[in-house]
Amino acid sequence: MECKEIKIAYLEYGSIDELPQEEKELAKAAVKAANASYAPYSNFNVGAAVRLEDGTIVPGANQENDAFPSGICAERSAMYAAGAHYPDKAVRELAIVGGPNHTICDDPATPCGACRQVMAQFQKKAGKPMKVILAGAKKVWVFQKVDDILPLIFTSLDNK
Ligand code: THU
């Protein structure tokens, strides 16, 4: 028996304004996107923005429903909008920001497992690492690839 460890690397900044220009722009687009969040049940408003390979930014926001499972997270709504509107353009970066009642949490809101799996699929489709920016008011984390927030990504055997 061997005890193994997985290490993940990420960058931490003190605020969105400290990010490099392009990342800052994407994080700010996610903040703006949160205005369209519809979250009457959780009152937790999340915005997301993806940047495509040609620079296009596609926003998304969480959308809740009386039938709870029918709702969707902000980042999945942004990725699926990108897939629906720009099917041939690779997604290069994703930014997420959220908090209760249209505020931004001090620590970054971290994506749910289902969204991480969808990120993995978009990264796989792109064939290149997809950067993930999780922005809080007092901490901003930048992951260079989806593998860093979803270690041991599932891939079907015939894709290995
Ligand atoms: N939510 C997101 O949109 N993204 C996340 O990364 C975490 C959770 C949404 C789902 C639901 O509308 C609300 O936040 C509370 O879970």
Side-chain angles (χ1 to χ4, degrees), residues 8-20 23 106-108 110 132-144:
I8 58 164
Y10 59 97
L11 304 175
E12 184 174 283
Y13 296 84
S15 70
I16 288 176
D17 285 325
E18 287 179 18
L19 288 167
E23 294 170 14
D106 285 350
D107 286 356
T110 52
V132 181
I133 302 162
L134 307 181
K138 295 193 173 158
K139 279 182 196 166
V140 179
W141 294 334
V142 179
F143 299 82
Q144 300 302 328

Side-chain angles (χ1 to χ4, degrees), residues 37-39 41-48 61-65 71-76 96-97 109-112 115 119 134:
S37 159
Y38 175 68
Y41 302 102
S42 71
N43 294 309
F44 194 86
N45 305 98
V46 187
N62 59 330
Q63 305 294 321
E64 297 184 351
N65 193 280
I72 191 163
C73 293
E75 54 274 50
R76 250 182 297 163
I96 305 165
V97 59
T110 52
C112 74
C115 285
M119 288 175 207
L134 307 181

